[in-house]
């Protein structure tokens, strides 16, 4: 009761809370801020150490700092992408809300595979695979969110050109495929090789955007 209502045009097909995505943007900001903060909780050194113990613990903390820096950068990129998607939304319907919440739930989970990566990433393929699977899940949810808006003009704040749409789909799909490939590499080759595979995501995304720009200007 009350879940369905009319909007300003008298349309009965939309939920009564189909509106500006401002609340989703605010919720996204809060969850990403919390997830980024939780990352640093895994970086710590025990109290009461002597000089030798302190130096040993400091030498062991670098993998934790590396995993923290990696995940912070990843979450920052996802936060930026999600804000860019939501800023293209004029009104958020039930599908937009559900996909946004699903992606935020996956983003909030990232501190867990980050801890696995810092502790076991150099030895256990499953630790690397869990991290890669989480990244792939967030990427695919962002892809689904963007596609659902791109293909429904009535939700858009302004039209999304087809070239921009296909570039975004190609970029997000390529990152998801790269994460899937890193899972295979982690088990077949080594966890370290899978970690290096992730570094290809940045030049890959830039190459896709460069090709899109050059094609547009041709």
């Amino acid at each position: 009761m009350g879940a369905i209502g009319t909007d300003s045009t008298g349309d009965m097909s939309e939920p009564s809370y189909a509106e500006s995505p401002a609340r989703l943007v605010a919720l996204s900001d809060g969850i990403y801020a919390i997830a980024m903060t939780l990352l640093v909780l895994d970086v710590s050194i025990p109290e009461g150490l002597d000089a030798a113990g302190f130096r040993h613990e400091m030498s062991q903390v670098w993998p934790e700092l590396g995993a923290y820096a990696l995940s912070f950068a990843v979450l920052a990129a996802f936060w930026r992408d999600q804000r860019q998607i939501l800023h293209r939304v004029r009104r958020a319907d039930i599908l937009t809300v559900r996909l946004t919440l699903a992606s935020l739930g996956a983003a909030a989970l990232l501190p867990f595979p980050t801890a696995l990566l810092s502790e076991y990433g150099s030895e256990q393929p499953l630790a690397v695979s869990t991290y890669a699977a989480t990244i792939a899940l967030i990427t695919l949810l962002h892809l689904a969110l963007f596609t659902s808006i791109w293909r429904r003009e009535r939700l858009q704040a302004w039209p999304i050109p087809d070239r921009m749409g296909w570039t975004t789909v190609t970029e997000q799909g390529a990152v998801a495929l790269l994460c899937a490939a890193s899972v295979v590499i982690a088990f077949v080759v080594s966890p370290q090789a899978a970690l290096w595979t992730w570094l290809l995501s940045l030049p890959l995304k830039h190459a896709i955007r460069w090709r899109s720009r050059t094609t547009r200007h041709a």
Side-chain angles (χ1 to χ4, degrees), residues 28-41 68 71-72 75 104 106-112 114:
S28 175
D29 290 347
I31 289 181
Y32 272 100
I34 293 172
M36 290 174 174
T37 303
L38 290 176
L39 292 173
V40 78
L41 297 182
Y68 161 76
S71 292
F72 190 93
L75 283 175
L104 290 176
L109 180 66
L110 194 62
F112 170 64
T114 300

Side-chain angles (χ1 to χ4, degrees), residues 128-148:
V128 176
S129 299
T130 301
Y131 190 93
T134 305
I135 299 299
L137 177 60
I138 301 172
T139 301
L140 290 174
L141 288 169
H142 277 188
L143 177 58
L145 177 61
F146 174 80
T147 304
S148 71

Side-chain angles (χ1 to χ4, degrees), residues 6-37:
T6 59
D7 58 15
S8 59
T9 63
D11 185 4
M12 294 291 294
S13 63
E14 292 291 334
S16 58
Y17 54 81
E19 57 184 21
S20 167
R23 291 183 179 180
L24 289 179
V25 173
L27 178 63
S28 175
D29 290 347
I31 289 181
Y32 272 100
I34 293 172
M36 290 174 174
T37 303

Side-chain angles (χ1 to χ4, degrees), residues 117-173:
L117 188 67
S118 65
E119 292 292 334
Y120 305 103
S122 61
E123 302 173 356
Q124 297 296 329
L126 186 57
V128 176
S129 299
T130 301
Y131 190 93
T134 305
I135 299 299
L137 177 60
I138 301 172
T139 301
L140 290 174
L141 288 169
H142 277 188
L143 177 58
L145 177 61
F146 174 80
T147 304
S148 71
I149 296 166
W150 175 34
R151 290 308 185 185
R152 294 185 294 166
E153 294 183 3
R154 61 187 174 82
L155 299 181
Q156 298 172 19
W158 61 87
I160 300 175
D162 282 345
R163 188 177 300 279
M164 177 185 296
W166 283 116
T167 298
T168 302
V169 169
T170 302
E171 178 183 312
Q172 298 292 331

Side-chain angles (χ1 to χ4, degrees), residues 40 44 46 55 69 83 86 94 160 170 178 188 198 200 203:
V40 78
S44 62
R55 287 192 295 270
R83 283 184 65 91
L86 292 177
I94 185 62
I160 300 175
T170 302
L178 190 63
V188 176
W198 295 343
L200 295 175

